[in-house]
Amino acid sequence: MDKVVQNYLEKFGIREETQRFLTRPQRMFIGGTWVPQGDRESLAVLEPSTAGVITHIPLGTTADLDRAVEAARRQFDGGPWRRLKPLERERLLHRLADLIEANATELAEIESIDVGKSVANARDVDVQGTIDTFRYFAGWASKLHGRTVEPSLPGDYVAYTRKEPIGVVGVIVPWNFPLQTMAWKVAAALATGCTTVIKPAELTSLSTLRFAELVHEAGIPDGVVNVITGRGREIGAAMAAHPGIDKITFTGSTEVGRTVGHTAVDGIKRVTLELGGKSPVLVLEDADIEAAAQAVANGIFFNSGQVCDAGARVYIQRGIHDRFIGALIEHTRTMKIAPGLDRDCFISPLVSALQKDRVESYIEAGRREGAEVVHGGHALDRQGYFVEPTIFAHCRSEMKIVREEIFGPVLVTTPFDDLNDALSLANDSPYGLAAAIYSNDLNRVHRLIPQLRAGTVYVNAHSTIDPSMPFGGFKESGFGKDLGPEQLDHLMESKAVWITLH
Ligand code: NAD
């Protein structure tokens, strides 16, 4: 660990167990065995507020992947896991949830240090969301069933359907909510009786490696959950092509998702794609301006804008435009820019130097194209990957900052006169992950909801996420859903059974 990171951890004080985890050699988890780096290459893991090295992770190989898939297959094809009764699976998932809860502070610290994010949000959102997700899907394990059917064919039959787990599920996730996004996929897969091979994002693998230790401690049989750290273009791509994997569930960019989807479909694998977004927000003139401004600011600047369903394009009815922009700036000013371990931090550093450069280049593009910066607009002149929360006003729909996903603390705003025009602007995007409406006029709200082409519509709120509600996109934001009973359908095959009676 670099001195600069050590100083950072000392300054804010972290738990001894977190310190111990971060300073021991990181190992992959394959078939219930801890696999150290050995003669593999490794990758340095950087802490975003100092740019110092925290630790190194092994770069897994395709031979590691083969071993992980083999272990997952063995458990699925008649191993102890496959023979467990549903209530036993449920009990194991609850035990895992309890262990995550017992280690919640440590997991939140690991997530904050690795991703750079606010430790308070990591505890209240990422880790709590992970616990809730395991509890929610634990309950489903004993409630999955097919149906009996009375066919109209001549003759006598017993006809029924069975729901059977798809098999080995390959889990590929991004770096913005590493633990929670992985949990969405793994909890549901385990509830159905599937087995898993997980590849976390190379930038942020640490919480998943700690999670693997808890999986082991919970007594989940060896090989049911495997974790391989490695590069996306090597291990991720090999997973999408691997004949031993039955389904890929991917969260990440639309660009990579397209490639993963192609490869998976080539092998006739099942696939769920949770991809990028550029979610629109409509602020109507009857909205509660103060409350809406606060929610809109949170909706874009939470996790420093590194949120797939962030409300990144805001359309404001002209009558309230200037007042709303003023309130938005006021709320944004109250958001403390600080390193993630600072408990008052709201705007944390971005995850990497690359992401910081990317966001800065978009801010530059916005200026060049004539959008007006009304707040922020610069990277901070200090160590780490900090960029100010930035608000652009009077943006036009053809601008790059309006069309493309920035994945950083940058909000673009545009006034509108006519609600139909606003609706067209909102839908004028290749993405369709989420949308939000701020209004107290129920009639207008209910008329707008069906017309917005998005997987989620928030009204007077943003990013309210709960395991009981499905999450996933329309259009190029992907297909298939995570969370809710909808996700379970994507992890099970329906088998039709016909029995002729004589
Ligand atoms: P990314 O697409 O670069 O990477 C996502 C994952 O895919 C990582 O684990 C990466 O290692 C792996 N990967 C990279 N190249 C691969 C390849 N050729 N084959 C297989 N796997 C490969 O995305 P990112 O930069 O980590 O995350 C940001 C993106 O994720 C944004 O576009 C964001 O909108 C999206 N995202 C979507 C959701 C959602 O639920 N829709 C949630 C979070 C993030």
Side-chain angles (χ1 to χ4, degrees), residues 71-263:
R73 274 250 75 87
R74 257 200 314 278
Q75 279 292 352
F76 186 75
D77 296 337
W81 174 250
R82 193 65 197 280
R83 295 197 302 274
L84 278 187
K85 297 289 182 201
L87 277 175
E88 291 170 334
R89 278 207 311 276
E90 181 162 333
R91 189 176 50 82
L92 284 176
L93 290 182
H94 274 303
R95 194 187 284 169
L96 180 54
D98 289 344
L99 282 170
I100 297 168
E101 189 158 45
N103 292 279
T105 306
E106 181 193 344
L107 282 164
E109 287 178 353
I110 293 171
E111 202 73 321
S112 168
I113 294 161
D114 197 11
V115 185
K117 65 171 62 196
S118 140
V119 71
N121 288 339
R123 174 64 189 87
D124 297 346
V125 178
D126 302 59
V127 179
Q128 191 56 48
T130 299
I131 298 163
D132 293 347
T133 302
F134 272 98
R135 295 236 159 91
Y136 173 79
F137 282 115
W140 269 111
S142 58
K143 293 156 199 79
L144 305 169
H145 46 70
R147 56 201 171 94
T148 51
V149 175
E150 194 155 343
S152 300
L153 281 181
D156 287 333
Y157 301 96
V158 173
Y160 65 93
T161 64
R162 287 174 49 77
K163 290 282 192 187
E164 297 183 1
I166 274 181
V168 176
V169 178
V171 175
I172 306 176
V173 287
W175 45 257
N176 54 340
F177 292 87
L179 184 71
Q180 195 181 6
T181 312
M182 178 276 298
W184 289 7
K185 296 173 183 300
V186 173
L190 299 190
T192 62
C194 291
T195 57
T196 57
V197 176
I198 309 167
K199 195 212 80 64
E202 44 271 64
L203 287 175
T204 57
S205 300
L206 298 180
S207 57
T208 304
L209 293 173
R210 181 68 184 106
F211 166 81
E213 297 180 349
L214 301 178
V215 167
H216 193 59
E217 202 178 325
I220 292 177
D222 293 347
V224 172
V225 174
N226 302 273
V227 180
I228 304 203
T229 48
R231 292 192 198 284
R233 59 174 185 271
E234 288 159 14
I235 300 304
M239 282 168 75
H242 203 293
I245 292 182
D246 301 288
K247 167 167 182 144
I248 292 287
T249 174
F250 173 89
T251 296
S253 62
T254 295
E255 189 191 352
V256 175
R258 207 184 299 275
T259 314
V260 167
H262 271 300
T263 312

Side-chain angles (χ1 to χ4, degrees), residues 266-477:
D266 249 358
I268 321 291
K269 279 189 192 17
R270 282 66 179 137
V271 61
T272 292
L273 299 175
E274 298 279 0
L275 309 177
K278 186 80 180 180
S279 299
V281 177
L282 301 178
V283 185
L284 276 51
E285 62 204 353
D286 65 88
D288 173 337
I289 291 186
E290 276 305 309
Q294 183 164 12
V296 168
N298 286 340
I300 178 67
F301 298 129
F302 178 72
N303 211 38
S304 298
Q306 302 166 119
V307 180
C308 53
D309 73 343
R313 296 181 282 142
V314 180
Y315 301 99
I316 309 154
Q317 205 151 15
R318 201 173 301 273
I320 57 164
H321 177 270
D322 293 355
R323 270 170 60 215
F324 183 78
I325 291 283
L328 194 58
I329 293 170
E330 277 315 300
H331 281 290
T332 305
R333 279 210 180 104
T334 65
M335 293 173 166
K336 183 171 177 187
I337 309 178
L341 286 178
D342 181 329
R343 292 206 70 83
D344 297 326
C345 149
F346 192 86
I347 306 284
S348 51
L350 300 180
V351 74
S352 64
L354 189 71
Q355 194 62 12
K356 176 178 167 237
D357 291 348
R358 205 177 115 88
V359 171
E360 280 190 278
S361 80
Y362 273 108
I363 295 173
E364 258 332 290
R367 284 203 176 91
R368 250 195 335 270
E369 288 182 309
E372 180 193 348
V373 178
V374 293
H375 184 77
H378 300 281
L380 295 197
D381 186 16
R382 61 184 273 187
Q383 213 174 29
Y385 315 132
F386 293 91
V387 176
E388 287 178 307
T390 297
I391 303 173
F392 280 102
H394 300 290
C395 298
R396 294 185 310 276
S397 57
E398 69 279 11
M399 290 176 173
K400 192 175 159 78
I401 52 169
V402 176
R403 302 219 66 80
E404 297 181 15
E405 181 182 46
I406 300 175
F407 222 57
V410 181
L411 181 64
V412 302
T413 70
T414 304
F416 71 86
D417 294 301
D418 179 80
L419 202 48
N420 286 327
D421 293 345
L423 193 58
S424 305
L425 290 170
N427 284 331
D428 180 18
S429 168
Y431 296 113
L433 192 53
I437 307 166
Y438 291 87
S439 167
N440 287 312
D441 181 339
L442 274 181
N443 281 311
R444 286 160 111 193
V445 167
H446 279 295
R447 284 191 194 290
L448 284 169
I449 290 169
Q451 298 184 74
L452 284 162
R453 297 274 296 142
T456 298
V457 177
Y458 301 111
V459 178
N460 297 328
H462 208 98
S463 292
T464 39
I465 290 188
D466 185 89
S468 61
M469 287 285 276
F471 187 85
F474 284 15
K475 303 198 276 184
E476 291 186 22
S477 290

